[in-house]
Amino acid sequence: MVLHESISHVPSGFKALGSPSPTQEIELFIAIVQSNITGLAKVVDSVSFPSSPSYGQYLTPAEVAEYVKPPAESLSAVMDWVTPNVTSVKPFSPAGDILQISLTVEQAEGLFNTKFSTYTHSADGQEMIRALNYSLPSTVQQHILHIHPIIAFTPPPRRPSQNTVSKRTTTLNRRQLAPCEDIVRPVCIQQFYGIPNTTISGSLTNSIGVQGYNSASLGEYANEDDLATFLNEFRPDIAGNTFSVTLLNGAQNLQDNSGGLEGQIDIQYTVGVAGNVPTTYVLDESNSDAAISYMDTINWLLSQEDPPTVFTTSYANEETDLTQSAATSVCNGYMQLAAVGISMIFSSGDGGASDNQQGCTSFVPMFPSTCPYVTSVGGTFFQPPTAFVSSAGGFSNYFSVPSYQAADTVAYLESIGDEYSGMYNPNGRGFPDVAAEWEVFIVNEGGVTSVGGTSCASPIFASFIALVNDRLIAAGKPVLGFLNPLLYSTGKGGLDDVTTGQSSGCSGSTGGWNSATGWDPVSGLGTPDFAGMMNALGI
Ligand SMILES: *[C@@H]1O[C@H](CO)[C@@H](O)[C@H](O)[C@H]1NC(C)=O
Ligand SMILES: *[C@@H]1O[C@H](CO)[C@@H](O)[C@H](O)[C@H]1NC(C)=O
Ligand SMILES: *[C@@H]1O[C@H](CO)[C@@H](O)[C@H](O)[C@H]1NC(C)=O
Ligand SMILES: *[C@@H]1O[C@H](CO)[C@@H](O)[C@H](O)[C@H]1NC(C)=O
């Protein structure tokens, strides 16, 4: 047996309760080596860089599966080893590169030569059966990337923290006539960014997917009546539009107003901004950790015949919530979606440079935003255009800077000299990529209320891209797919740079990153400019 992965100590906040019962069943995920992931990365570059001759020539999920399916000898080596010693084994990902196994603690301790303990988290009492290390037979090790979550103490996906803030619950008379300074609503978003009212292509396959997660600590629903009220009030021209629902793992989209605000924001600022773009709320009953929750959606998207062309997620985790090996597997999943031509859009988070930690000695990057194959959206205020103090951003400690971005991140880092040196990884992938309005009004439980956070920015940016895609389809061109190689090159003309404002950092509301001319880790490259993007795309 060869030691494969280990951690030196249990993450802070967790306490060992003792040994679990040897007959207790647990679930684990085996990531097997993939046939040709470096080849797939090259393919993604060739379909995503506007200068490439195969720009926009996306692969089918079946073609992508050829790159990531395990080599036959790897699959059989792993199957021969685990099958006799587990209760069940089945493919988790469509290509079969990730297997889901169910087995007893005793079986797992034998297979992986380790000792499990039950751990509890002091903040929420969540219990996890984990070990500090695991080993693999030397004959099998070369076929396995990692096994999750033996040593991973990963919490579920988190909502960005600010969106529960009802900053202002004004019930102004004649709300539709109120200035945008008082009530940011879809018409304001349309005006700030020049976003048109509705689609013109008539395409039904150009659609937006909207992520929702439910778990013990997180009930999120998108309410149909609240959306109807919202559209009647703020988008009477598309009143009556609605959304479809996809339920994963037994989720239910409850309509009893027992949820939080996230699902409401995400649906109202997609259906309500991307006029007439078909919208699907993908709700996952996620009782697992964030790595598995993010994978659930990747697997769902890869198994759709006509997946949404744009997908927005307003949930995030600290990068270290995931082990580097699990984060890499998830990010390789986003690489597969890039190859298929899906724009994956994530809110950057609401904790500034430090995820709201004060007195820290290093900044805290957020995942999935740090994955180079997604587009991360920070928050700004529109009047005057200023970065939002809580807009999360910074540099990855797991993923190195991708080529499409390197000139921009280097220019920013040169401009700040040695400020914050040692608090971040100067060679890491920088985020966010772009930004959008962070504070809007929604309808919740029948009432109009203001909410804030990058939770608002991600669906707004996704709606902008969905309507750009609509114009591309009308012009007979492919949709944008993975956005970043475009955004950091010719697509800069489709964004308005935001140059003022600062994010919070380890010393509170000061001490984070400064917004600046060009890319910066608060507002990215800037906010949507629809006419500019039409120009940049030549339509
Ligand atoms: C991996 O994929 C690349 C890009 O398609 C291809 O050029 C290369 O031949 C592939 N390698 C193998 C071993 O299949
Ligand atoms: C796995 O199962 C085989 C066949 O039943 C058995 O001989 C072997 O001891 C088991 N290995 C472990 C590590 O439990
Ligand atoms: C593996 O973890 C156990 C505690 O569960 C510890 O006693 C042992 O020293 C660790 N081994 C290695 C190689 O880290
Ligand atoms: C958008 O819709 C509003 C309300 O129906 C209308 O007043 C406005 O002219 C429309 N704008 C465009 C650009 O079509």
Side-chain angles (χ1 to χ4, degrees):
M1 299 291 282
V2 190
L3 181 70
H4 193 66
E5 279 192 302
S6 65
I7 50 175
S8 53
H9 56 86
V10 179
S12 65
F14 285 94
K15 192 176 83 196
L17 293 180
S19 299
S21 155
T23 57
Q24 164 93 43
E25 286 273 334
I26 58 172
E27 217 166 53
L28 296 173
F29 299 84
I30 304 179
I32 311 179
V33 294
Q34 296 165 317
S35 291
N36 190 1
I37 196 75
T38 51
L40 186 64
K42 291 200 180 90
V43 171
V44 168
D45 284 355
S46 73
V47 300
S48 310
F49 277 80
S51 56
S52 158
S54 36
Y55 182 55
Q57 293 173 29
Y58 304 117
L59 276 57
T60 63
E63 288 166 338
V64 170
E66 288 301 309
Y67 287 87
V68 296
K69 71 176 189 195
E73 71 273 17
S74 297
L75 183 60
S76 60
V78 173
M79 290 299 280
D80 290 350
W81 167 60
V82 296
T83 308
N85 305 81
V86 300
T87 313
S88 72
V89 51
K90 62 183 184 198
F92 179 61
S93 59
D97 56 316
I98 303 178
L99 301 178
Q100 179 172 6
I101 60 173
S102 178
L103 72 179
T104 64
V105 165
E106 186 174 32
Q107 284 174 321
E109 289 183 339
L111 271 179
F112 306 117
N113 190 29
T114 190
K115 188 90 193 89
F116 284 89
S117 296
T118 302
Y119 294 92
T120 181
H121 194 265
S122 54
D124 57 12
Q126 198 191 354
E127 288 191 4
M128 299 183 180
I129 296 175
R130 297 288 185 272
L132 299 187
N133 54 58
Y134 64 95
S135 300
L136 299 172
S138 56
T139 51
V140 174
Q141 189 187 25
Q142 61 187 295
H143 302 295
I144 291 184
L145 297 172
H146 69 103
I147 306 201
H148 182 80
I150 300 181
I151 61 160
F153 290 73
T154 310
R158 275 203 283 135
R159 287 182 300 248
S161 55
Q162 301 288 318
N163 72 27
T164 49
V165 177
S166 300
K167 259 194 68 191
R168 296 180 279 148
T169 48
T170 352
T171 43
L172 295 183
N173 287 330
R174 298 159 53 118
R175 279 189 289 255
Q176 290 163 36
L177 298 177
C180 287
E181 282 78 355
D182 291 336
I183 296 193
V184 181
R185 54 199 187 278
V187 68
C188 307
I189 303 297
Q190 293 175 291
Q191 281 167 12
F192 306 158
Y193 303 140
I195 297 176
N197 281 349
T198 55
T199 55
I200 56 169
S201 73
S203 168
L204 296 178
T205 53
N206 179 41
S207 64
I208 304 188
V210 179
Q211 181 72 67
Y213 285 116
N214 280 333
S215 73
S217 57
L218 195 78
E220 284 301 338
Y221 312 105
N223 189 282
E224 290 161 16
D225 291 344
D226 284 340
L227 174 66
T229 306
F230 178 80
L231 296 178
N232 275 327
E233 178 83 29
F234 294 127
R235 279 301 304 266
D237 58 316
I238 55 167
N241 279 7
T242 183
F243 57 98
S244 58
V245 179
T246 290
L247 300 171
L248 305 181
N249 297 317
Q252 279 183 288
N253 187 32
L254 299 180
Q255 295 296 300
D256 61 0
N257 281 318
S258 59
L261 300 172
E262 187 63 67
Q264 307 278 70
I265 299 169
D266 298 344
I267 275 297
Q268 291 174 24
Y269 278 82
T270 44
V271 178
V273 177
N276 295 347
V277 174
T279 302
T280 303
Y281 190 52
V282 180
L283 186 61
D284 188 1
E285 187 75 24
S286 165
N287 288 313
S288 319
D289 66 70
I292 300 305
S293 301
Y294 294 132
M295 275 290 183
D296 281 342
T297 297
I298 292 166
N299 293 341
W300 178 77
L301 286 165
L302 287 170
S303 62
Q304 298 307 295
E305 202 166 307
D306 286 312
T309 44
V310 178
F311 198 93
T312 174
T313 302
S314 289
Y315 296 78
N317 289 82
E318 292 184 5
E319 193 176 56
T320 52
D321 282 352
L322 285 79
T323 60
Q324 184 160 4
S325 51
T328 302
S329 273
V330 174
C331 188
N332 283 346
Y334 296 131
M335 186 202 292
Q336 295 170 56
L337 298 176
V340 172
I342 302 175
S343 306
M344 294 300 289
I345 297 174
F346 289 83
S347 60
S348 70
D350 289 358
S354 66
D355 196 27
N356 287 328
Q357 292 175 33
Q358 294 192 16
C360 38
T361 53
S362 46
F363 290 147
V364 180
M366 304 299 290
F367 186 84
S369 279
T370 55
C371 169
Y373 292 100
V374 307
T375 299
S376 171
V377 189
T380 53
F381 186 68
F382 81 98
Q383 192 56 41
T386 310
F388 164 47
V389 66
S390 298
S391 183
F395 298 86
S396 177
N397 292 316
Y398 286 174
F399 301 99
S400 53
V401 64
S403 68
Y404 60 73
Q405 178 188 56
D408 298 84
T409 55
V410 165
Y412 180 81
L413 291 175
E414 277 174 358
S415 78
I416 65 167
D418 58 11
E419 192 180 22
Y420 305 137
S421 149
M423 296 180 71
Y424 68 95
N425 170 17
N427 303 312
R429 185 266 202 266
F431 77 104
D433 300 296
V434 293
E437 173 63 27
W438 76 276
E439 189 203 16
V440 298
F441 277 74
I442 62 165
V443 170
N444 187 52
E445 297 186 43
V448 174
T449 180
S450 106
V451 289
T454 56
S455 280
C456 307
S458 184
I460 290 169
F461 196 84
S463 297
F464 160 63
I465 294 299
L467 284 169
V468 171
N469 280 343
D470 174 73
R471 293 332 193 237
L472 285 166
I473 292 169
K477 297 187 175 191
V479 297
L480 292 178
F482 172 43
L483 299 168
N484 297 2
L486 167 75
L487 298 179
Y488 283 86
S489 60
T490 50
K492 277 182 185 164
L495 298 167
D496 288 333
D497 194 8
V498 175
T499 58
T500 57
Q502 186 187 45
S503 62
S504 56
C506 292
S507 38
S509 60
T510 58
W513 306 107
N514 276 313
S515 198
T517 301
W519 180 86
D520 57 70
V522 203
S523 59
L525 296 164
T527 55
D529 172 352
F530 196 88
M533 190 58 88
M534 292 295 98
N535 242 336
L537 296 169
I539 49 176

